[in-house]
Amino acid sequence: MTSNHDLLARSLSSVWHPCTQMKRHETLPLVPIARGEGVWLFDVDGKRYLDTVSSWWVNLFGHCNPRINAAITHQLGKLEHVMLAGFTHEPVVQLSERLRDLAPTGLGHCFYGSDGASATEIALKMSAHYWRNTGKPQKCEFISLQNSYHGETLGALSVTDVALFRDAYGALIKQNATVPCPNWREADAGESAEAYALRCITALETHLKAHHQHIAAFIIEPLVQGAAGMAMYHPTYLLRARELCSQYDVHLIADEIAVGMGRTGTMFACEQANISPDFLLISKGITGGYLPLSIVMTTDHIYQAFYDDKTSRGFLHSHSYTGNPLACRAALATLDIFEQDDVLNTNRDKTAFFNRIAAPLRDHPKVKNFRNMGMIWAFEVNSPHTDFAQRCFTLGLQHELLLRPMGNTVYFMPPYVITEKDMQMLVERTLTIIESLS
Ligand SMILES: *Cc1c(COP(=O)(O)O)cnc(C)c1O
């Protein structure tokens, strides 16, 4: 115990933890994780926790997956990294080719970044630069949905509408407009999700009609707004938004950082509306949750607007670790697993099973808005506790669950390798926790 206590104390005195009011840790202990295996994380005392949130939505095929481990180890013996300006390598080429084949049609060019926020920055810059290169420099504003989340660097925050992350930095951020979000929980009584989506489309159309001359792009989280509390909406919205963006000469940026890689039941959420965006952002699950990597995919039309004798018309953006070979190898191993294990079909069965056994949760008198899309489940809990999220997290740990509610919204976004037995346990123990918090 002494050595564990030591680790926690040393962490608190040297590590500034993300998304955390550090003073909270005066009463709330950190969880010192020693190793991971499949859906389980083990702390330094050997106590286990079911990673129901895939470690911030990144893990797809479990911790220490033997196949991904082997791929990275193999790559490690050949080339760990080389700069991607002026140089290239097999893993980055293979990954770009495979993504081109997997993504919605027309997205033939891959630009690499290191994390989700950098992908957002790249897409925003590329979009505005495209309009500049094509003689419309006044098109340099962006729109996003209400409650949108696209990352936390300053450019990404300018299209992020979560007050908690944004308010302290208002003076540093370019002000961009938001349009109503088609989240079906906001629909009127008796109004269908689709009817509400169409009502929100009318607002989008009005906005585009009035302001399109100054708008470079509309950035959107397709089908599920993760950080807004797993807000889900009807695919009709995406379909109509695509049409309106084309009509008004505005780029559509699909931020699939959280929903891509099979999370909503299809490889990319855009497929459910049968649309191709002008930019597709991928990160989080692409490396199976192993290494930071992000990709901005775009069209040949946009690529060609930068292709010129003049250096300044090129896209000069870079990050030191752009296209890192180890991360690309992890991504290739992740795509291999999708193919070899027929993951999208297997997940459909898992989703159906979970929805059957989750009936007692869905029907619980304190549970509201139980919803599911692919491998995402969420619901609100009616609880008298103002610190519900904190209590739920702490109780979760006591019940071997890593639960990390957003406000009163509990969600599950487990690694795809979760078994029926583990799902059963997750439902039963979550019920117990809700009972004691409501
Ligand atoms: C997580 C996330 C981001 C930001 O990615 P980071 O790697 O955390 O910078 C952007 N958009 C969406 C939809 C996300 O879920």
Side-chain angles (χ1 to χ4, degrees):
M1 270 317 276
T2 324
S3 68
N4 297 346
H5 178 77
D6 227 43
L7 181 65
L8 301 189
R10 277 166 50 218
S11 191
L12 289 178
S13 74
S14 63
V15 181
W16 196 336
H17 292 266
C19 203
T20 299
Q21 170 49 268
M22 293 298 292
K23 193 165 192 291
R24 284 262 177 96
H25 284 302
E26 284 180 5
T27 50
L28 177 77
L30 287 161
V31 187
I33 296 299
R35 66 182 190 89
E37 190 183 329
V39 298
W40 297 99
L41 291 165
F42 295 86
D43 73 11
V44 292
D45 297 322
K47 194 163 176 276
R48 63 175 196 167
Y49 309 96
L50 179 59
D51 189 355
T52 75
V53 299
S54 293
S55 286
W56 260 352
W57 322 347
V58 299
N59 193 290
L60 300 188
F61 300 120
H63 295 279
C64 279
N65 182 290
R67 283 184 275 179
I68 304 176
N69 284 10
I72 296 174
T73 309
H74 186 69
Q75 181 61 39
L76 201 48
K78 294 206 285 190
L79 175 68
E80 81 301 332
H81 183 66
V82 62
M83 62 196 281
L84 199 61
F87 295 84
T88 193
H89 50 82
E90 188 65 37
V92 79
V93 175
Q94 265 188 39
L95 182 58
S96 307
E97 291 173 345
R98 284 180 73 175
L99 287 174
R100 180 184 61 203
D101 294 342
L102 276 173
T105 51
L107 299 166
H109 300 274
C110 291
F111 194 97
Y112 285 79
S114 312
D115 50 41
S118 67
T120 298
E121 300 286 340
I122 289 163
L124 299 181
K125 284 177 68 179
M126 228 182 229
S127 172
H129 197 162
Y130 167 91
W131 294 115
R132 179 185 159 90
N133 279 357
T134 55
K136 294 181 179 164
Q138 73 282 5
K139 282 171 82 73
C140 60
E141 292 169 14
F142 302 98
I143 53 174
S144 64
L145 291 180
Q146 282 163 5
N147 301 320
S148 56
Y149 181 91
H150 298 290
E152 293 173 53
T153 51
L154 292 175
L157 267 185
S158 80
V159 288
T160 287
D161 185 37
V162 179
L164 187 65
F165 300 139
R166 190 184 155 110
D167 282 358
Y169 313 104
L172 309 182
I173 298 170
K174 186 175 147 88
Q175 296 304 310
N176 287 308
T178 57
V179 290
C181 164
N183 167 16
W184 62 248
R185 283 175 296 165
E186 306 290 325
D188 286 342
E191 186 179 34
S192 72
E194 184 166 19
Y196 185 59
L198 288 170
R199 188 144 67 88
C200 293
I201 276 293
T202 308
L204 173 66
E205 182 162 22
T206 306
H207 190 88
L208 287 176
K209 201 178 237 167
H211 303 289
H212 66 97
Q213 275 125 339
H214 299 280
I215 298 173
F218 176 28
I219 183 167
I220 186 168
E221 294 159 87
L223 300 188
V224 185
Q225 290 184 300
M230 301 299 159
M232 298 182 183
Y233 62 87
H234 197 277
T236 287
Y237 187 87
L238 281 181
L239 181 66
R240 292 285 296 127
R242 169 70 281 182
E243 289 168 1
L244 288 172
C245 285
S246 301
Q247 184 184 336
Y248 286 102
D249 236 5
V250 164
H251 292 141
L252 181 66
I253 304 173
D255 176 353
E256 298 227 10
I257 290 166
V259 295
M261 310 312 295
R263 196 43 88 171
T264 66
T266 44
M267 195 52 145
F268 296 103
C270 282
E271 292 169 39
Q272 296 187 41
N274 204 11
I275 61 154
S276 285
D278 300 290
F279 298 92
L280 178 72
L281 314 187
I282 305 173
S283 188
K284 291 211 163 96
I286 183 67
T287 64
Y290 269 67
L291 289 160
L293 183 73
S294 63
I295 302 140
V296 176
M297 300 185 73
T298 192
T299 63
D300 197 50
H301 179 75
I302 287 168
Y303 176 80
Q304 291 302 336
F306 292 81
Y307 201 82
D308 197 89
D309 291 326
K310 276 215 199 88
T311 305
S312 63
R313 283 177 65 93
F315 191 63
L316 305 184
H317 187 100
S318 67
H319 298 281
S320 309
Y321 285 98
T322 292
N324 175 261
L326 294 170
C328 290
R329 225 10 124 189
L332 287 166
T334 298
L335 294 182
D336 287 343
I337 296 175
F338 269 99
E339 275 180 30
Q340 289 161 8
D341 296 3
D342 195 13
V343 167
L344 294 177
N345 276 320
T346 312
N347 280 359
R348 265 187 269 284
D349 295 340
K350 291 194 185 200
T351 297
F353 176 82
F354 195 93
N355 284 334
R356 276 198 302 280
I357 64 163
L361 262 181
R362 184 174 41 233
D363 302 335
H364 193 281
K366 299 291 178 183
V367 167
K368 259 198 333 196
N369 298 327
F370 184 94
R371 53 198 179 275
N372 159 247
M373 198 177 290
M375 293 293 279
I376 308 173
W377 289 265
F379 51 88
E380 277 73 51
V381 177
N382 188 353
S383 165
H385 301 291
T386 50
D387 57 348
F388 171 82
Q390 194 60 73
R391 285 170 186 258
C392 186
F393 174 78
T394 304
L395 273 178
L397 293 178
Q398 289 168 20
H399 289 84
E400 300 187 311
L401 301 179
L402 193 182
L403 291 173
R404 208 168 183 280
M406 296 182 270
N408 276 45
T409 303
V410 175
Y411 71 93
F412 309 134
M413 212 158 142
Y416 302 162
V417 292
I418 191 168
T419 61
E420 293 189 349
K421 183 163 161 265
D422 294 337
M423 290 191 249
Q424 203 91 51
M425 172 196 142
L426 174 55
V427 170
E428 281 160 18
R429 298 196 182 179
T430 302
L431 274 169
T432 307
I433 292 166
I434 289 171
E435 285 294 336
S436 64
L437 288 179
S438 60

